[in-house]
Amino acid sequence: MLKTLQTPGDTSWFTHDRFGMFIHWGLYALPARHEWVKQREEIPDDVYDRYFKHFDPDLYDPGLWAAAAAEAGMKYFVVTTKHHEGFCLWDSKLTDYKVTNTPYGKDVLRPMVDAFRARNLRVGFYHSLIDWHHPEFVIDDIHPLRNHPERATLNAQRDQRKYVEYLHGQVRELLTEFGRVDILWCDFSYPSRPGFIGKGRDDWQSEALYHMIRALQPHIILNDRLDLDEGWDIKTPEQFQPRTWVTLDGQPVVWEACQTFSGSWGYHRDEASWKSIDQLVQMLIDTVSKGGNLLLNVGPTGRGEFDERALDRLAGLGAWMKRHSRSIYGCTQAPPQFKAPQDCRLTYNPTTNRMYVHVFAWPYIHLHLDGFAGKVEYAQLLNDASEIPMIGLEPWQAAHWADQFKDTLTLNLPVQKPNVTVPVIELFMK
Ligand code: GLC
């Protein structure tokens, strides 16, 4: 099997579990038009404070969120403890800009961690390096105040070192007050370049932050957005599907694609580009067929609920995973000698030595598997364990068909596509 670049964190469970839930929740759920709304609309703090004053997710029940994730087949979750707006979901001692000071008045992070752990999901924290509310965070070229006429004067009163102290202090809180944390998802660095003032490793003091993180939770899986060349555990392609296993300098790495149901990470009421259940199931399969993980995002509403569109997609994913999860968990890219047939993806479980053929377009009665001849002991449809006959070539066929199917295993399929989102054929390899 492919050897991936060795990294400090424990990714053994991660590359087995494959599928996680991303949760983007904050004040931006109230304007309900993207989590970058403050930046895009250049909303000043005194105007944006209306959302702080009205944040009251009275229907919040993290048990329902955890159930939806578990029943969708997700094995870990990553929640925004603080997004770029600077609002904190836990009772941080380092700021007043936190959920306990809103009308809701209670910590939402701790009950969420408890609820997801109760459903045996591992815990991940997304923590924004960026903070568009903190008074010491120096205004740069993506900040909501980037075009403020007094930007230079404002910055003269700001000390990024004080913000760094705050940033490191909050990461320390998150890694010492919530028990074992399996993933830390820092977001994101945008180093300065000619004509652009951004922030990178020096602005976060990333080296020192990294050493603190490793000292507090050495096993933790750390993503790749601290602007450090080393120390990360996963590469994080976002909002697109990699064409192959993600590599760095030619070396395969552990990778996780993060994707949204629609075009927004935060709750977006009017955003219409919601992916279908077919697209989402195919995305999960395609990701695992290339040795990756999928972190699929939900943006809860300002009332504290997953909206019906999200619940619909999660239910559809769960219905497929109920009968097909063993073609995902513990699976990875197929060994190179096995080629996926047209309109199919392969996943492979090296422990059970079973191959899974995910059929995205149901063919007429035959499925030809190049490279599989003589290598499969038994084949069945995964959804109902009904046998799929394997057709050896009759001598006269071999004569007629010459070399066309020489190294090919041909499967005899039912004419009708099984009534599942993506049918899967389980091959028991010899
Ligand atoms: C991008 C977006 C940010 C989101 C993140 C998730 O960085 O700007 O809003 O949280 O992607 O990966």
Side-chain angles (χ1 to χ4, degrees):
M1 293 313 297
L2 267 180
K3 285 293 291 168
T4 53
L5 178 70
Q6 286 306 301
T7 62
D10 173 13
T11 55
S12 57
W13 66 267
F14 185 77
T15 53
H16 175 275
D17 288 355
R18 290 299 181 207
F19 189 26
M21 177 181 275
F22 217 165
I23 299 174
H24 277 68
W25 199 31
L27 299 180
Y28 44 79
L30 294 181
R33 50 187 191 271
H34 199 277
E35 72 284 354
W36 277 56
V37 61
K38 184 175 186 180
Q39 194 268 0
R40 291 174 171 185
E41 299 176 17
E42 301 186 36
I43 304 173
D45 286 348
D46 60 336
V47 175
Y48 199 81
D49 275 351
R50 70 175 61 154
Y51 305 124
F52 186 88
K53 290 172 184 148
H54 292 279
F55 190 78
D56 187 9
D58 58 317
L59 300 178
Y60 173 56
D61 177 349
L64 295 178
W65 293 13
E71 286 153 23
M74 293 161 163
K75 293 292 187 182
Y76 62 98
F77 84 111
V78 179
V79 60
T80 54
T81 56
K82 178 194 83 167
H83 202 261
H84 309 334
E85 65 179 5
F87 176 70
C88 301
L89 294 189
W90 82 104
D91 188 13
S92 170
K93 300 174 189 58
L94 304 178
T95 181
D96 293 333
Y97 202 51
K98 58 186 176 178
V99 65
T100 45
N101 290 340
T102 66
Y104 185 69
K106 292 177 287 184
D107 182 326
V108 294
L109 186 60
R110 191 168 304 281
M112 197 188 305
V113 168
D114 294 345
F116 277 76
R117 275 201 184 116
R119 294 302 300 258
N120 300 313
L121 275 83
R122 287 179 184 258
V123 175
F125 288 155
Y126 164 114
H127 192 66
S128 176
L129 301 168
I130 299 167
D131 195 313
W132 294 326
H133 179 268
H134 198 279
E136 301 293 354
F137 188 89
V138 169
I139 301 163
D140 54 36
D141 285 355
I142 67 165
H143 193 284
L145 298 176
R146 60 193 175 283
N147 296 316
H148 192 290
E150 299 301 316
R151 170 172 163 177
T153 307
L154 292 170
N155 274 339
Q157 298 149 23
R158 295 181 178 222
D159 181 349
Q160 186 70 11
R161 290 168 302 177
K162 289 182 181 168
Y163 172 70
V164 166
E165 199 177 317
Y166 172 74
L167 170 66
H168 290 209
Q170 284 203 319
V171 171
R172 177 176 291 278
E173 285 185 321
L174 292 168
L175 298 187
T176 54
E177 297 176 8
F178 293 87
R180 179 184 173 101
V181 178
D182 289 290
I183 300 169
L184 182 63
W185 228 94
C186 297
D187 190 45
F188 65 99
S189 298
Y190 44 108
S192 295
R193 56 187 185 270
F196 174 79
I197 299 174
K199 287 191 177 57
R201 62 188 72 174
D202 295 340
D203 304 289
W204 318 126
Q205 288 299 300
S206 294
E207 286 281 352
L209 180 58
Y210 171 74
H211 290 301
M212 182 187 78
I213 292 164
R214 282 278 173 239
L216 293 172
Q217 302 240 9
H219 60 272
I220 208 164
I221 294 173
L222 183 61
N223 75 336
D224 60 334
R225 301 188 179 186
L226 275 171
D227 187 26
L228 291 176
D229 297 331
E230 294 177 342
W232 51 267
D233 296 290
I234 57 173
K235 281 297 178 187
T236 57
E238 169 178 333
Q239 297 289 39
F240 74 97
Q241 277 304 105
R243 296 180 62 192
T244 62
W245 193 309
V246 173
T247 60
L248 183 68
D249 303 329
Q251 167 102 37
V253 296
V254 177
W255 64 277
E256 174 192 70
C258 56
Q259 308 274 12
T260 51
F261 282 137
S262 71
S264 172
W265 300 93
Y267 177 66
H268 195 315
R269 182 190 64 205
D270 304 334
E271 217 284 334
S273 66
W274 280 72
K275 300 171 184 72
S276 69
I277 290 167
D278 277 27
Q279 282 177 303
L280 293 163
V281 171
Q282 291 188 6
M283 181 183 276
L284 173 60
I285 294 164
D286 183 68
T287 301
V288 176
S289 77
K290 295 160 183 168
N293 278 40
L294 178 64
L295 186 64
L296 200 48
N297 180 77
V298 180
T301 71
R303 294 294 297 275
E305 294 185 291
F306 291 177
D307 73 324
E308 73 281 359
R309 298 168 297 183
L311 290 173
D312 171 69
R313 289 355 184 248
L314 290 168
L317 282 155
W320 185 81
M321 284 290 275
K322 178 180 178 189
R323 294 184 179 82
H324 300 89
S325 63
R326 71 175 187 241
S327 71
I328 298 294
Y329 301 145
C331 290
T332 186
Q333 179 173 274
Q337 65 269 33
F338 298 105
K339 303 298 174 219
Q342 181 182 342
D343 301 322
C344 294
R345 298 294 186 276
L346 297 179
T347 60
Y348 175 64
N349 185 323
T351 305
T352 61
N353 194 26
R354 294 188 194 179
M355 188 78 73
Y356 296 93
V357 187
H358 303 257
V359 187
F360 285 10
W362 194 249
Y364 174 53
I365 67 172
H366 286 147
L367 187 64
H368 304 293
L369 302 174
D370 294 331
F372 284 77
K375 299 191 174 71
V376 179
E377 181 258 324
Y378 183 74
Q380 65 179 9
L381 272 177
L382 190 50
N383 62 290
D384 65 359
S386 59
E387 183 180 12
I388 293 292
M390 298 184 282
I391 306 170
L393 285 181
E394 300 300 334
W396 60 268
Q397 284 173 319
H400 275 314
W401 292 352
D403 286 349
Q404 192 184 24
F405 301 128
K406 202 164 132 184
D407 188 25
T408 300
L409 172 71
T410 297
L411 302 180
N412 202 355
L413 303 182
V415 171
Q416 288 190 328
K417 173 191 168 190
N419 184 27
V420 294
T421 305
V422 174
V424 180
I425 299 158
E426 182 174 44
L427 304 179
F428 293 71
M429 306 302 284
K430 285 179 180 171

